[in-house]
Structure formats: C-alpha cells, structure tokens
Amino acid sequence: MTSGSTQYELSEEELRELIPQLQKLTEKYKRSERVQKALFDISELASSVSNLSRLYPAIHEIIGDFMNADNFFVAFYEPDANVINFAYFVDEFDEQTIKQIPAETLMDGLTGHILRSGEHLFIHGEDHKSFTERTGIKMVGAVPHQFLGVPLKRGSQVIGAMVVQTYDNTVFYSQEDLEVLLFVSQHIVTAVDRVKNRELTERTIRDRTRQLRKINDELQEEILERQKIETLQHALFEISELAANLEGDMNAFYASIHEILTRLISAPNCFIATLDQSGSYLDFPYYNDTTTKGPSRRALGLGLTELVLRTGQTELVNPSRVLELAEAGELDVTVAQNMLKSANSWLGSPLVVDGAICGVIAVQTYGKLAKYTSRDLELLRFVSHHIATAMERKRSTEAIQRYNAQLEERVKERTRELDRTNAFLTQQIEERKEIELKLIHDAHHDSLTDLPNRAMFTNRLDLAIASKQRYADNLFAVLFIDLDRFKIINDTLGHHAGDEFLIEVARRISLCIRGHDLLARLGGDEFVVLLDNFASAEDVEEVACRIIESISEPFILDDKEMYSGASIGIAHLEPYYSSADEILRDADAAMYQAKTLGRGRFVMFDKSMRERLLEELELENEFRRALRDEEFECFLQPVVDLKAQQVLYHELYVRWVDPHYGKVNREQFRIVAEQSGLTLDLDLYQLRRACVLLNNSESEKGNITKIAVNISINHLLQASLVSKILNLIKGLEVPADRLVFEFDENDLNRRSSFILPAIKKLKRAGVTLVLDNFGSGLASLSYLFAYPFDFIKIDHRFIKSLPRSQRNLKLIQSVMLVSEHLHFDVIAEGVDSKTQLKALNEIECHYGQGKALSEPQPI
C-alpha cells in the first residue's frame, strides 16, 4: 500500500505540472487555428472581393482579431514615380489625406527603413530615442508607444510595408504578434495582386460592355430613324407609283394622295386648289372636310390659300399667327374669326410646275390639341412637289419610274447594311469569348509562322535542362538554324515575299523532325529545334542534313524561282548547362562557325569555339585599350621617283605589338577595327600623327614634305565626316596640300556610288588623292575616268611576279598609257627586289615603293 500510495502521489504532482503546459499548448493551438482561419479569410477575400477599397478594411479587421490595431496602414512603394502610395491608412492622431507622398519625404523614417532594408521593425516606446540615434532614422508624425512593421514582398522584391502601432501606454505588442503579422504579410501580397487583377479584368469588361451597350443604343436609334425614313420613302414611292401609273381617274389619284398623307401626318381634312387659266379663280378638284362641304370654285380673295399663292412658300398657320395675318391685312377678318372659333391648325403648300405656281394642297385640323409642326411643314412641302409632278405625268412618268427603282434599291441596301451590322455585333460578342484564348496563344507563338516563339522555346529548354541534370542518360540537342540570302529575298522581292519564304521554311523544317521535337522561330531568319529521345549523335546529324537538303531546294516566290540555304549550329545538352541562354549561345556560336566555313553545313559545338570567341573578344578589348593609350608603333616608307631618285611623299602606317598576343598582323587588326566600329578612330589617329610629324619636320627643317595615310571609305559616306577631317587638318595648322589620302580599291567597289561628292570636296581642299591596291578587286577603268585621283598604286601582287610575268608587265604598261591621257601618275607598290626595280625602269615606270627602294623607318 505504501508503495502504491507513493506512486499515486507522484502522478498527481506530475499532473499539476502538466496542466499549465497543456494550457499553453491549448492556447498555442487556438492561436494557430485563428491564424489558419485568418489566412483562409484572406484567401476567401482574394476570391470574392472585387475591389481593393473593400479588401484593406477586411484585412484590418482580421489583424485586429489578433492584436490592438486601432492604428494601421498599408503602403506600397512605386519606383517608377518614386512615390509611396498609402493604399489604406487609419490613425488616431495623424490624418492621412494625401494618398501619394514623394519617397524622399519618408525614406528616412520608419516606413522608409522597412522599404529599404526589407526587414521588420519592432520598437517599444522607451526604445525610440536610442533606435533613432543608432540608425539615423527620423520620426515622421506622432511618436507611437509601440511600433510593429513588416515588409510586403513579391518574391525577393520589397514592394511595400504593413504597420500597426499604438499610442496607448497600456498596450504592448508581443513576439507572437510580430510572428502573426509576418505570417499574414506573406499572403496579403498574393491577395492584393489577385484583387488588383480581378479589379482590372472587371473594369476592362465593364468598359467593353459599356462601349457595346452604347454602340447598340446608337444602332437602335439609327434603326428607328431609318424605319421612319423607310416609312417616308415608302410613302413617296407610293406617290411616285401613282403618278407613273395614273390613267385618267384624277379623283382616285387625289384620294390616294390624301390617304398617304394621313399615314404621314394628321390629315383628316384635305383639299387641293388650282388656279384657272385666267388666274382670277380657284378650282377645287379635291375637297374632303369632316365639318363643311367645300366649294367647287370661287374668286380669289384674302383666304389662306391665296396667302400661299402670294408668298410662293409653304405656310403653317396656327391660331397664334392668325391675328398677325389679320392685322397685317393678309387675311380676311371672317376667315380669321372662324379659325379662332374652331382653333384650326392649317398647313398649305404651293404646287409648282415648270417654275410657276399652279395651285395649293392644304390640310387642316380642328381642336386645341392637334397642331402642326415645322416637320409637318417640310413633309408637306416635299409631298406637294410630287403632286405637282403627277399633274405632268405624261412628261415625267419615265423619270419617276427610274427614281422608284433607284429608291427601292437604296432601301434594300440600307436594310442589308442593318442586317450586316446586327450580324457583326453578334460576331463581336462571340469573338470576345475567344480573345483570351487567342491572347494566350499569341503570347507563346510567332505571329507569322504560328511556331512557338522564344519565350515558349526557352521554357521548354529549361525543362529539358532540369531533366538532363536529374536524369543524365536523357539525350537532348539544340539546332540553331540561320538562313542564307534572306535579306536579298526581302530587298528584291519585298517583305511579302520574305514572309512567304519564312512560312515555307517553317513548313519544310517541320517535315524534317519528329512530332514530339520542338521547332521555334526566334526572330528574323533564325529558327531553333529541340531534339529529345534520340539514340546517338548520328541521329542529330541526320536531322541537320535533312534540314539543309530541304532548304536548298528552290522556292517559288512571286512566280520567281529563288534559292537559299541553311547553316546549322548544334549543341548537345550537357549536365553543366544551367540556363537556356547558355546552350542557345553555344549553338549560335557553332552556327556562325558553320557560316565562316562556307555556309550550307552544320557544325557541332565544342569548348574550343567558346575559347576562340573569348580570345577574339579579348583581342578587341586590347585593341580598344591600345588605341585609347596610343600604343601603336608608327612607320614611314617613302614613295620614290625612280628617275630622279627623289622622295615624292612618305606613307605612314602603324604596327601593333600587344604585350599578351605579341605582334598582330596589320590586316588582322584592321579587321578587328572594322568589326568593333573603330576604323574611323584609327584613321583619325594616323591623320593626327601625320600632321604632328609634318609640323615637327617643318620646325626641324627636315626633308618630309608630304605624308600619306590610309583612309577608310566610311569617312566619305557622310558629308559631316569629310568636314570633320578638314576641320582637324585646319585645327592642326597643316596645309592640306601636304597630305596624301590613300583609298583602297576594294572598299571603293562596295560604295562607289555614294562617295564621288566627298572625293571632289577633298580634291578642292588641296589633298592629294591616291587609289591604293589597284587591280586587287574589279580594277574598273570607270574609277580612273570618274574620280579625280592624282596617283594610282598598282597592287603589290602584280609587282611580285615581275619580271617573269609578261602579262602583268603589259597590264602595268596599259595603265601607264591610260594615265598619260587622264593626267594621273602610276606608282608600283611592293618593289622588294632589284630585278623588280629593273623591270619597272625598263618600262619607264615613274614611281615606286618597296623595300628595294627604302625599308620602313620607325618614327
């Protein structure tokens, strides 16, 4: 019993210790349950709330369930406008009326600190002073007793802040409150984004619906108006038909006219009056009145009918106008009294035939409520014209029939237009349902070929990279395809033919790959293919060969047969690739290597290609540095008069010795300069050095009278560049006639039609002009006739073969013969041996340049 009693007492003691722990655990679970419920409420809000003005108060209420949140605000930072937008603001002391505040105003405060650092802030009242002194943060607005602020992030980017604070000294926030606020903040951004997107979508739908409703209302109004017009047109058609088909029964014709008028306006009473031949009496061939029986004939007096005859205008006479007419003596007093007694409204219009008034048609009503309007007046005026026309039916029947036919066709056309408009509106409503699907499709496909675009291909390639990293045995390869002659097709046949060409290329490539392989168009004439699940590299090569063979087949564009080709770079997917851009870069490099090797082939990428590309890039960087620091070595080599053994001028050229690459071939760094766009800068550097040498030679009384520099033809493509050269020469105080510009014939072949004005401008300035490397290109004699060159330099390859090549010797003599007639001199370039010099002397070549005459001398 003792042992059992002791055991029972220990269990009771343990139970007392466990009760507080269980209570804490219970509280923790309840709090977790509340947090989960809060997140569920936020998710429900994001799904149900349609605008942000309802979302923020609801979030405020949810957070208020966990802590004192009497003072609460949500702010977002907008970097484009550099403002902080207070989307929601509730505070006991600070009243926020301005929703947007410049960021620089608040970036030094607590909110700005959260936005800048992306970290939360938990500040107690007694810590304010020490915190601001330690961080340099300024307190903006009323100082709270407790401050709790957390960042709002979209991914890793801080986009805003959410803050609760209290001014009540009895309220304290806990670490659990901070954790709740942090946890809630992670889900609020998603909720806000969803509500914003829904709000934008609903606003777009409302705007579009409002537009469609407005269009529909306008169409309904137009339909009603057109129905009125159609009714009028139908009535006029009936009148015209009566006039065209009238056979002799005038009483039936007048009755039909009255019936038609009754349908258009209120016309219970109607009469037609005509003047007799003497013009003194009125005849009434038709008179229909509900109260009186009209006369068949009466003499002219001061009635309403006579008023219309006198004025020649359609007259509208209501009781208000009767007194005016009676006082003016235009209306008989008895007639006026009768009209006022019965409250008549009278409308009459003249009947005009061949420009003369022959009668009147009139309608009238009785009673105060039935009054005619100006619209009725215009209508009767128009109808009276047709009645007058009917009186001359024999003369105008055919014209009226033609008018009726045209009128009927016009009515049908307008009706068809209404039908088409209604059909179009119905189609628009249906098309709206398809717009979202089309937008999604268009965002991932090329608009021309309907192939996947770069975005979709990159996503698919990223998945392939992830698969390769997880399953190394999976085989993938990327084919980068570039088309040949696409620019020529575009320029010669136009963009429409270019588009047809690309569509046909896409079709052909699709036939060369399997159904699960992915073909995409990156843009322009570049296509890419992602191959997967192939057995070996030979399969990839076979696909590449099929594509090249398919593209090499002729294309029929605008009834013309055109040929193209394809250069393909292949990169196999390896585990070390981490992004789609990397493998596309390597496949692109392999494609350029294929182009370099002669197009119409494929090249597999290897790491040496990347190293070579990096080496070329490094060489370009070194060239830029050398040009900036003027590290080139300059040399002078004279052009010599072979008879007088005197120097004509010195040619200046540069050599480049790089610390890392050593001596760089002159042609190679010229190519580097052209590819990097620094050709003009290199030429200007040489020109400045030449001007400095000329100035120094003059001050030192040296023997350098002229210096030649090689100038790129690009200087001559713009008038401003030629002016820049001449201004540079003038600024360095060097006479232009002491400078010689040498232009390469090969460059001239490519741009010959654009540079003649620039060459003439240099010639007028006094610069000596030389055509360099003549014979290395087309060697067109048209250059010798069209351009004012002072000297022609025969290309060194012709001199190199002397004296054994009699053919080249004859060619040099021919150029010399032409030079006598065109007044320029010939310079033999590359005279490197005594035998070459002897051969030139024998044919009496005037000038030469080369090592046999003088070695290049460093400056």
Side-chain angles (χ1 to χ4, degrees), residues 377-483:
L377 182 146
E378 293 296 331
L379 184 61
L380 185 62
R381 176 188 295 154
F382 189 68
V383 171
S384 67
H385 167 72
H386 288 271
I387 295 173
T389 303
M391 294 180 177
E392 291 198 331
R393 58 190 179 280
K394 292 181 181 180
R395 182 177 59 86
S396 58
T397 298
E398 293 182 359
I400 293 175
Q401 288 176 342
R402 287 195 298 270
Y403 173 79
N404 287 338
Q406 294 173 0
L407 185 61
E408 184 179 3
E409 183 60 32
R410 209 173 306 148
V411 170
K412 291 180 180 179
E413 179 60 29
R414 299 302 285 175
T415 304
R416 284 195 294 268
E417 286 182 9
L418 287 174
D419 292 339
R420 286 196 295 268
T421 302
N422 288 331
F424 176 71
L425 281 175
T426 304
Q427 181 184 357
Q428 269 196 326
I429 295 172
E430 294 298 325
E431 287 177 352
R432 283 184 56 204
K433 300 175 183 177
E434 302 175 5
I435 288 176
E436 289 187 6
L437 293 175
K438 188 176 185 305
L439 286 175
I440 294 173
H441 179 273
D442 292 346
H444 294 86
H445 289 79
D446 175 48
S447 59
L448 177 64
T449 62
D450 204 37
L451 293 176
N453 59 11
R454 180 184 290 271
M456 183 174 178
F457 185 83
T458 302
N459 291 338
R460 178 77 175 273
L461 190 53
D462 284 332
L463 293 176
I465 292 172
S467 175
K468 182 68 176 179
Q469 291 173 345
R470 188 173 182 182
Y471 305 103
D473 294 336
N474 289 352
L475 298 180
F476 299 92
V478 172
L479 279 64
F480 200 108
I481 306 166
D482 186 83
L483 305 176

Side-chain angles (χ1 to χ4, degrees), residues 229-370:
I229 294 173
E230 188 175 353
T231 302
L232 174 60
Q233 288 175 334
H234 182 69
L236 296 179
F237 178 75
E238 286 187 278
I239 294 174
S240 299
E241 191 175 43
L242 285 173
N245 297 324
L246 187 63
E247 295 179 354
D249 189 358
M250 294 299 294
N251 290 328
F253 169 74
Y254 294 137
S256 298
I257 291 294
H258 185 188
E259 182 185 352
I260 293 171
L261 280 177
T262 304
R263 295 202 302 267
L264 297 177
I265 58 176
S266 177
N269 310 292
C270 174
F271 70 83
I272 296 174
T274 60
L275 280 170
D276 69 349
Q277 293 182 352
S278 66
S280 303
Y281 290 89
L282 284 175
D283 293 321
F284 294 88
Y286 181 78
Y287 193 101
N288 189 325
D289 194 281
T290 57
T291 58
T292 61
K293 183 178 179 180
S296 59
R297 191 177 195 192
R298 69 174 175 81
L300 292 176
L302 291 178
L304 294 175
T305 305
E306 289 84 343
L307 174 66
V308 174
L309 294 175
R310 287 196 300 273
T311 61
Q313 301 291 330
T314 303
E315 295 290 345
L316 171 59
V317 181
N318 287 325
S320 59
R321 194 181 174 204
V322 168
L323 294 176
E324 297 178 8
L325 294 173
E327 292 175 358
E330 295 286 338
L331 188 64
D332 184 82
V333 175
T334 304
V335 175
Q337 288 175 348
N338 291 334
M339 285 197 66
L340 291 174
K341 186 184 298 183
S342 58
N344 284 21
S345 181
W346 189 90
L347 189 60
S349 180
L351 300 174
V352 180
V353 176
D354 293 333
I357 299 175
C358 65
V360 173
I361 181 171
V363 294
Q364 60 183 345
T365 62
Y366 303 103
K368 297 181 179 180
L369 299 178

Side-chain angles (χ1 to χ4, degrees), residues 567-701:
S567 301
I568 302 177
I570 303 174
H572 286 274
L573 206 61
E574 301 295 344
Y576 56 76
Y577 284 116
S578 60
S579 70
D581 289 338
E582 292 179 1
I583 189 169
L584 284 174
R585 175 200 64 199
D586 291 345
D588 190 18
M591 182 273 294
Y592 275 107
Q593 180 68 19
K595 276 186 173 292
T596 304
L597 294 176
R599 302 176 184 269
R601 64 182 67 206
F602 65 85
V603 170
M604 292 283 187
F605 176 81
D606 57 55
K607 291 186 178 181
S608 64
M609 291 183 189
R610 188 184 305 162
E611 294 170 357
R612 185 162 55 254
L613 291 173
L614 292 174
E615 182 179 336
E616 291 177 358
L617 183 61
E618 183 63 29
L619 183 63
E620 180 182 328
N621 292 335
E622 288 295 318
F623 178 78
R624 291 179 183 274
R625 183 191 57 78
L627 183 60
R628 184 185 65 245
D629 299 338
E630 298 185 356
E631 295 181 353
F632 298 113
E633 297 179 1
C634 295
F635 292 81
L636 290 176
Q637 187 177 33
V639 173
V640 180
D641 187 331
L642 300 182
K643 293 180 181 178
Q645 292 299 309
Q646 293 180 347
V647 175
L648 176 65
Y649 65 82
H650 289 79
E651 180 183 359
L652 181 144
Y653 60 91
V654 296
R655 287 177 181 170
W656 179 26
V657 180
D658 186 76
H660 178 69
Y661 295 99
K663 183 178 179 180
V664 182
N665 180 276
R666 181 183 180 189
E667 186 64 26
Q668 184 179 2
F669 77 73
R670 271 282 180 183
I671 293 175
V672 172
E674 185 172 348
Q675 291 177 345
S676 58
L678 296 174
T679 304
L680 303 183
D681 298 288
L682 180 62
D683 291 350
L684 293 177
Y685 164 74
Q686 294 181 84
L687 181 58
R688 281 193 291 268
R689 289 300 303 270
C691 292
V692 171
L693 285 173
L694 288 172
N695 285 333
N696 292 342
S697 174
E698 185 175 341
S699 62
E700 297 171 3
K701 295 184 172 53

Side-chain angles (χ1 to χ4, degrees), residues 150-168:
V150 295
L152 298 177
K153 296 183 179 181
R154 184 182 289 116
S156 59
Q157 180 185 5
V158 179
I159 64 170
M162 183 170 65
V163 173
V164 294
Q165 55 187 347
T166 181
Y167 302 100
D168 190 347

